[in-house]
Structures are given as C-alpha cells and as structure tokens.
Amino acid sequence: MWLRQQGFEWLLVAVLFQQCAAQINLTYPSNTPAGAMYVEDNFFGISFEMQVINTIIGNTPTTIPTPIQAYLGNIRNRTNNPLRLRVGGNSMDSSYYIPTQTTMISGIVDNVNYAPIDFGPVLIDTVAQLGNSIGGAVWDVGLSLININSSLDTVQLALYAHNVLGNSLDSYQLGNEPDLYLPSGKRPGQANYTVQNLIDDYANVLGQMHSIANLSGAPMAGPEICCDWDLNTVLTNGFLGAFKNFLKYVTVQKYPLNNCPGLPPPPTTLDYFVNHYNVIGLGSVWLNGVQTAQQAGVNVSMTEFSSAACGGIAGVSNTFGATLWTIDYVLQLATLGYASAYIHTREAGITYNLFDPPAAGVDPNSAGWTTGPPYHALLVVAEALHKLTSPIMSVIDLLLISPNNTLAGYALYPAPNATSPRRPPTRFVLFNYAGSGTAEFYFTPNYTGINPSAGDRAVSVPAGNITVKYLLASELTSNFNISWAGQVVNGGGVLTGQPTNTTFTNCDGSGGSSCTITVPGPGLALVYLDGEQDALIATQNVSSATGLAGNATPSDPSGILFPAGSTKSLESRVAVAWTVVALTLIAYLILVS
C-alpha cells in the first residue's frame, strides 16, 4: 500500500515493464522461397576514396602498413571468395592519371571540393600487392568521365590495371555521380547535362578502350548515379540499350542522409537508423531500376554507401547504432538481388570511417590505429553469408513486427544442390535496436510444408543445440569496446580476447517445442542452425598481423556495467534483464495487494 501513497507506483511499473524482455515469434519459409536470389559470401566490400588512399594503404607496394593488412585479412579469413575492394569516388573521377609519374599521388588534397590531383601507376601496383598480402581481393577501379578531354590517359590507366591486376580486376567504373556533374560545376559552360550526354560521353571513352585489343572485352560498370536521376529512367532512356552487352554491373550509390555544405543539416540523433522499416524504404529507392537490369541479365552493385554523405554525422555515423544499421541495410540489399555492396571510407577524422591511421609522425605499423564502429559490420556479414558447403546464400527478410520497429530478422538459405533444390535455412540474423532490455526470438524447427519428392529438406539442428554469436556494445551511442563473439578489434586491426559462443539447447523441435534465442538491447545475434560454426571457428579468428605490439584492449569508462569486450557481457545483461522482470512482478503484487 505504501507505493500507492508515494504516488509514483504506475511510473515505476511502466519503467520496469519497458525493461522486460520483448517476445517475438519467428515465422519463416521452411525452404528457399520460389524465385529467391543468391549472393556470394564476399557480397559486402569496401570502397576507398582515391585521393587519400595512400594514407591508409601506404605509398608503395613495400610500405603497406601491417594493421591495414590485419583489418582486411580479418574479413578475407571469413569468406571463400576474394575480398571486394574499390578505389574510386569523386576524387578518382576528377583527377588525372599520369603514366610517367613515379609517386602514387601528387598535388594538394582537397577533401571538400575534390580539386584535381595527379596519380601514377604505383597506385595500381600497391592495390595489387595489398590484395595478395591478405589472401586475395578483386578490385573495382574508377575511371574518369569528367576529364573527357584527357580520355587517352584514362584508357592508359585501364590498360595498366588490366595488365597488373589480371583476374583480380572485377570491373571498370566509368564516371562517378554524373547526375551531379551540372550542379557541382563539372560541366562548365554547358547549359544542361542529360542522360543522353552521359550516354555520349560513356560511348566515347568505351570506344577508345575497345580500340585496344586487351580492353575489347573490358568488364564495365555504370551509370554510377546517386541522387538527382532515377535509375530506371536512365536505363530505359537508352543507357541499358546502348551498353547492355558491355556491362558487368549496373551501378548506383545511395546515402540515406546528407551532411554536405550548403544543404539543410541532417538529424543528429539515431532515430532514423534504429527503425528497420526505414531500411526497407531505403532499399526500395532504386528497386524498379534494379528489376529492369536483372530482367536484362545485368547484375546490380551498390558501389558506395554509408550513413550520411559528405563525411557522416558526429554522434551518429560513429556509433554502434550505425553499425547495426549497416548490417541491416546490406542484408536488405541482398534480399533485393544486388550482387554486391561497398561501404565507403575516407581520410582520418571522417565519422563514418572503418578505420583511421595514427596521427602524422606515428609509425603506421604500430597499433595506434582507430577502429571505426562500422568496421564490425563487415565481419558479421562475411560470417553470416559464409558456408563451407555452399558458394552462395539467399537472404530473406522475415518482416518482423515490433513496437517502434526496433526488432528485425533475416533467414539465410544455402544454394540448391543435386539432392536438394530447395533447402531449409541454416542461419538467422536477429537485431535488437532497443537501447535497453532484452528481446526473445522463439521459433519451432519447421517440419511442415516439406515435400521430399521436390527435394525439400527440414531444418536439422545437430543434437538439438544451436550456436549463437553476438555483436554487442553497452549503448547505441557506443563508439568503442564493441565486441564480436567476445572479441574486440584493437588498434592494430587484431581481434583480441578469446572468441566465445553461446549454445542454446533443446532446440530440436521435438514434440513441437520451440527454441528461444535471447538478444540483449542493443545487440545482434548470428544464429547457426547447421552446426557448422565449430568447423569455422578455427579459421575465422586467424589474424594476418599476429605479434603486433600494444594488443591491450582500450578501456571504456562508460562500459563499467557491461564491458562489451568481456566474455561475461551477455550473461551479465541477461541476468540484469531477469532481475528487472522479478522486480516488475514484485511491484505488481504490491500494487494489487
């Protein structure tokens, strides 16, 4: 009775109930849905801004910093296929390739207006060596369309990349954001820049490339639009008809928010990024064009994205919340049939960066690098899409319904084989965007709707046990001490700490029983339904930079309650969640007494 007398009993109960576990039933297709599209395990790659790439990968093939090899090697160790990497951006489009230049980059770097600089063949030499050092990469190389009067040098760049990269050359991306050429002053003296102008410029450079025997079958990509033009309109107004036979990829770029000079400031909170249905809406922006390209037999690639254009938003782009959003968005693109997606990274200090080198004067081979929160998304997606016995996976959004759309889930299905043209899911990726509390995802291994004569198989959970790996941080706004399966990436690009997994038992579906997977908020769970995790764990955590000095995990004063790098992080948070449930029950009993 005394709680009533204090006058805040309902407030207490409301607060306590907000901390209780949210429950949601996972319903999913028992086998790969008809018409599902598949992606390779190297679906998610990295885009480097050209004019500052030397600050990240070094100036020569012999001076590539050990930490960048470790950062990239961590991802490569998690895939069957070579890591996807891109060198491009606005600076690649506006700058000049000088075949006789002996240094990688010369000129004054302007990371706002992208004033032209010069670069030489050593750029290609260095990226080739970088790929070799991490066990394999495939490169998308940007070619200038702005400098149409210097296209002979552009063609020489294409030829040099062909000769040096060989099979590691994935595509040539001709032009960058041509829909912004006119408003950004890239076509001075021209009253307009239309789709037909783009087609004419593209055909001009392509024709010069095709005049060289080694480039006659060059793998091309375009139109690389981002903003002012509609993809489907560009494709159906002549671009696809003119270049379909030469295009390896139809390419686009998309940032959800814009922090560019001269435009209204973007929101400075995470609200947009922690709502799954915003991810669905963003993914659908180019959907008509994506389908047009697919119907023409051309793959589509998202060659550049991050949380906000022009360098990101402080307190948003460099947070754990943005990391969860990145994973969500990449998986969403996979559901729509994109062939690949590349997250962009730039010079040190940009808020959405994947990693920053140490300050000038500090040895770049030291463990003085800074790991950006979005980097962790690459590790998670690579592991989610990787399967020892399947070269490709199909990703399906489970379209979960939850308050404020803070819960999301995907089911991943392996490729068909000779005995099973339709196979059950082998992975779940489960999101809890809530800033606190716990979400409980429960499901029953689905044995209904199985047609063995059609090659259908039921979910098979070995010994009734499911292995789960967690991506965790103490808060949505956390920007360090983010842990993946109990490990934290240090300033040398090395995963530190002992990898830890959580096993949920009694998940064989016997008697129609359900299995419950707990995901703390904020957090993500990668759920293995096929028992393959034990076989993978030995290779996934091999570092390409063992022996680096300074492997100590940085301290996090804000993470005292839930140190995300601790192997006890999940257990502690689940214990707190159940404590709150108990307190809620006590409060309720007092109120009704």
Side-chain angles (χ1 to χ4, degrees), residues 270 273 316-329 372-378 380 431 433 471 476 478 482 524:
L270 279 165
F273 295 96
V316 174
S317 301
N318 55 342
T319 65
F320 183 60
T323 303
L324 294 176
W325 170 86
T326 298
I327 300 167
D328 198 355
Y329 183 45
Y375 170 78
H376 303 84
L378 288 145
V380 175
F431 296 79
Y433 282 113
L471 181 71
L476 283 168
S478 295
I482 296 170
L524 172 148

Side-chain angles (χ1 to χ4, degrees), residues 82-104:
L83 178 60
R84 292 185 182 274
L85 299 172
R86 169 187 183 250
V87 55
N90 286 320
S91 62
M92 191 87 172
D93 199 16
S94 62
S95 297
Y96 295 90
Y97 175 70
I98 309 299
T100 58
Q101 182 170 306
T102 58
T103 57
M104 181 185 290

Side-chain angles (χ1 to χ4, degrees), residues 150-170:
S150 300
S151 55
L152 289 177
D153 287 338
T154 298
V155 173
Q156 289 301 308
L157 169 61
L159 181 60
Y160 192 79
H162 166 85
N163 293 337
V164 173
L165 292 173
N167 292 333
S168 296
L169 175 67
D170 187 37

Side-chain angles (χ1 to χ4, degrees), residues 141-286:
V141 177
L143 299 178
S144 176
L145 197 62
I146 288 178
N147 302 322
I148 196 71
N149 294 327
S150 300
S151 55
L152 289 177
D153 287 338
T154 298
V155 173
Q156 289 301 308
L157 169 61
L159 181 60
Y160 192 79
H162 166 85
N163 293 337
V164 173
L165 292 173
N167 292 333
S168 296
L169 175 67
D170 187 37
S171 75
Y172 297 107
Q173 296 176 359
L174 183 52
N176 193 79
E177 301 178 350
D179 46 335
L180 297 184
Y181 279 180
L182 194 70
S184 61
K186 304 303 182 184
R187 285 291 184 268
Q190 194 167 332
N192 200 0
Y193 191 79
T194 65
V195 172
Q196 188 57 52
N197 293 136
L198 169 63
I199 293 172
D200 293 342
D201 288 346
Y202 200 100
N204 182 346
V205 177
L206 184 61
Q208 294 180 58
M209 292 175 65
H210 284 176
S211 68
I212 298 175
N214 284 345
L215 298 179
S216 59
M220 302 303 297
E224 284 289 314
I225 62 171
C226 68
C227 310
D228 288 356
W229 292 352
D230 172 67
L231 177 61
N232 197 51
T233 300
V234 173
L235 296 182
T236 57
N237 281 7
F239 190 87
L240 193 58
F243 306 116
K244 181 179 73 171
N245 294 333
F246 312 110
L247 288 173
K248 184 174 182 179
Y249 302 109
V250 163
T251 52
V252 291
Q253 304 174 15
K254 195 64 183 177
Y255 291 78
L257 300 178
N258 196 319
N259 199 18
C260 298
L263 296 176
T268 56
T269 67
L270 279 165
D271 293 350
Y272 171 88
F273 295 96
V274 296
N275 184 321
H276 176 63
Y277 279 82
N278 287 338
V279 171
I280 295 175
L282 182 64
S284 67
V285 167
W286 302 119

Side-chain angles (χ1 to χ4, degrees), residues 441-458:
F441 298 82
Y442 62 95
F443 69 98
T444 302
N446 196 339
Y447 293 93
T448 63
I450 305 299
N451 181 6
S453 64
D456 291 357
R457 296 258 182 110

Side-chain angles (χ1 to χ4, degrees), residues 402-468:
S402 63
N404 303 315
N405 303 315
T406 56
L407 302 181
Y410 293 86
L412 281 68
Y413 299 77
N417 58 30
T419 59
S420 301
R422 299 180 65 222
R423 302 174 70 183
T426 55
R427 307 274 191 278
F428 290 138
V429 182
L430 307 176
F431 296 79
N432 184 0
Y433 282 113
S436 60
T438 300
E440 293 180 348
F441 298 82
Y442 62 95
F443 69 98
T444 302
N446 196 339
Y447 293 93
T448 63
I450 305 299
N451 181 6
S453 64
D456 291 357
R457 296 258 182 110
V459 173
S460 177
V461 179
N465 296 332
I466 285 178
T467 299
V468 179

Side-chain angles (χ1 to χ4, degrees), residues 546-579:
T546 55
L548 271 177
N551 285 350
T553 302
S555 61
D556 178 7
S558 66
I560 295 174
L561 280 177
F562 301 127
S566 167
T567 58
K568 298 297 184 182
S569 177
L570 171 65
E571 292 83 352
S572 300
R573 294 167 73 171
V574 172
V576 170
W578 281 114
T579 300

